[in-house]
Amino acid sequence: MKYIVIPPEVGPVPPITFDFAIEEFAARHFTDDDYCFIWQTRPTVIIGRNQLLVNEVNVDYCNANDVFIARRKSGGGAMYSDKGNVMFSFISSEPDVQKMFRWAMGKMADVLRDLGIDATLSGRNDIIVDGRKVAGAAFYRVAGRGIMHNTLLFKSDVSALQNALTPSKEKLKSKGVASVSQRVANVADYLPGMTVEEFKEHARRDNYREITMEDMEEIRKTQELMGRKEWIYGRMPQHTEVRKLRLPDVGSVEVYLEIKDGKILDLNLVGDFFIMGDVDGEIIAPLRHQPFTREGVAAALQGHDLSQVVRGLTTEGWLQVLFG
């Protein structure tokens, strides 16, 4: 595995849209090996591709406290990051998403274990220390390459984290906690005296590849697209019906349905689930113009393996979301 090095001209902490553009550029052009990219952000809230911003983020707090709001291309839930976080992006040609999760999260856990911290993998995408989350991950594909970005709480402002995010009570209840702050911990609490820069040096390796200034033109174009308000804020899907359920091993699934004369005209999915395949082609398209009944939906999805599209989702789980 090689480590990606950024030109010093970029500056120490660019907006997170730049980092997203770097990992996408590397996935498209650096295909000779697996890659890792280590970065940091200014105070930022990042929501998953399929989340509604108004459901997840305290926008007034973010605007008043200069917290940047961004949307990533991967699924999963909303997260807060600042200069006290260490962000990792792993880029690989591994076709099996489950193997890539285990590989990337295992490498992060190994970094902590090398420092004497008893870190364990838990749930869909978490690293746990003493029962609290210190790192999470999300995944998407670009040009046949998998990108998994991870956030590790090193010495983050947990108070700002709690104020910036507005997770549902159902999500917190599913984690067995009453607040975000009860669920998370900083790695620095277990490494007295170590700075975030020293931690980053511990995680880096000597085998690297540099981003050149010639690469920057394409990177800046991708960054500009990810910074547009239309992408970040999205829009409320048109709908006549809403169904919502939190499924074990999947996450929160919220479906906005446009129903007419008993048939599905259109639908949109939002939530903190993990996307592994083509949601539009494998779930949405087969259901358009089908009867909005349990039997009609089941028949339309026959032969479709939903777990290859949304991590952990089954046809029965999908039917539970829609019909109870």
Side-chain angles (χ1 to χ4, degrees):
M1 182 171 64
K2 296 177 182 176
Y3 282 70
I4 297 171
V5 178
I6 306 303
E9 294 88 345
V10 171
V13 187
I16 195 171
T17 49
F18 174 79
D19 303 298
F20 287 154
I22 287 286
E23 63 183 15
E24 186 168 328
F25 177 87
R28 293 184 185 279
H29 298 284
F30 297 174
T31 57
D32 61 315
D33 201 345
D34 294 333
Y35 280 86
C36 182
F37 171 40
I38 301 176
W39 42 291
Q40 289 176 276
T41 71
R42 63 190 65 177
T44 302
V45 165
I46 311 107
I47 62 173
R49 179 170 190 150
N50 292 92
Q51 291 188 296
L52 288 178
L53 186 139
V54 294
N55 287 357
E56 308 294 335
V57 180
N58 184 339
V59 176
D60 291 340
Y61 173 86
C62 291
N63 290 338
N65 291 274
D66 196 27
V67 177
F68 190 74
I69 299 174
R71 183 185 295 273
R72 62 183 185 267
K73 292 188 176 182
S74 57
M79 53 158 290
Y80 172 84
S81 177
D82 56 28
K83 293 181 183 178
N85 280 18
V86 180
M87 313 289 280
F88 294 77
S89 293
F90 293 95
I91 301 155
S92 175
S93 296
E94 170 56 60
D96 188 317
V97 179
Q98 307 293 352
K99 286 183 179 178
M100 188 163 177
F101 263 89
R102 290 192 296 269
W103 170 72
M105 298 301 283
K107 284 189 174 297
M108 288 190 68
D110 287 343
V111 169
L112 298 178
R113 293 177 190 131
D114 287 346
L115 293 168
I117 297 175
D118 185 15
T120 59
L121 305 185
S122 175
R124 297 180 300 162
N125 65 319
D126 296 346
I127 294 177
I128 303 295
V129 176
D130 287 344
R132 293 195 292 172
K133 179 177 177 176
V134 298
F139 172 88
Y140 69 109
R141 285 197 185 280
V142 169
R145 298 265 281 170
I147 298 175
M148 185 166 295
H149 33 215
N150 307 253
T151 177
L152 186 140
L153 297 168
F154 186 82
K155 199 173 184 179
S156 188
D157 184 342
V158 176
S159 174
L161 180 154
Q162 183 157 1
N163 285 318
L165 300 181
T166 56
S168 67
K169 292 181 180 179
E170 290 82 4
K171 181 169 184 176
L172 291 174
K173 185 177 179 182
S174 74
K175 304 296 183 181
V177 297
S179 68
V180 175
S181 61
Q182 282 185 291
R183 190 186 169 217
V184 302
N186 276 310
V187 169
D189 294 340
Y190 301 89
L191 298 171
M194 176 174 275
T195 67
V196 67
E197 289 300 324
E198 288 170 340
F199 180 82
K200 286 163 62 178
E201 285 301 317
H202 170 76
R204 288 191 182 103
R205 297 295 180 268
D206 294 332
N207 192 13
Y208 65 90
R209 178 167 177 173
E210 295 183 6
I211 294 288
T212 68
M213 294 308 294
E214 287 73 23
D215 298 330
M216 293 299 294
E217 182 177 355
E218 181 176 337
I219 290 166
R220 292 298 189 193
K221 288 179 181 177
T222 302
Q223 180 185 5
E224 191 273 330
L225 291 172
M226 297 202 73
R228 291 181 179 176
K229 286 188 178 294
E230 298 85 6
W231 166 254
I232 296 170
Y233 283 81
R235 64 178 180 84
M236 179 66 75
Q238 184 174 339
H239 63 281
T240 56
E241 302 276 348
V242 180
R243 298 288 189 271
K244 184 176 181 180
L245 188 65
R246 188 165 188 85
L247 294 172
D249 301 322
V250 178
S252 173
V253 182
E254 194 168 345
V255 187
Y256 289 79
L257 295 134
E258 191 177 356
I259 307 295
K260 186 176 181 179
D261 298 330
K263 291 190 175 182
I264 302 170
L265 293 186
D266 206 355
L267 68 156
N268 283 280
L269 279 67
V270 301
D272 63 355
F273 48 85
F274 285 89
I275 304 167
M276 297 169 60
D278 181 6
V279 173
D280 290 334
E282 294 294 323
I283 297 180
I284 293 177
L287 295 181
R288 289 193 179 106
H289 310 298
Q290 298 301 318
F292 185 54
T293 63
R294 184 181 290 270
E295 295 76 17
V297 169
L301 292 177
Q302 190 170 4
H304 293 262
D305 184 355
L306 302 191
S307 69
Q308 297 300 308
V309 183
V310 173
R311 187 179 183 189
L313 184 62
T314 63
T315 298
E316 181 55 38
W318 177 243
L319 295 173
Q320 288 178 26
V321 174
L322 295 181
F323 304 106

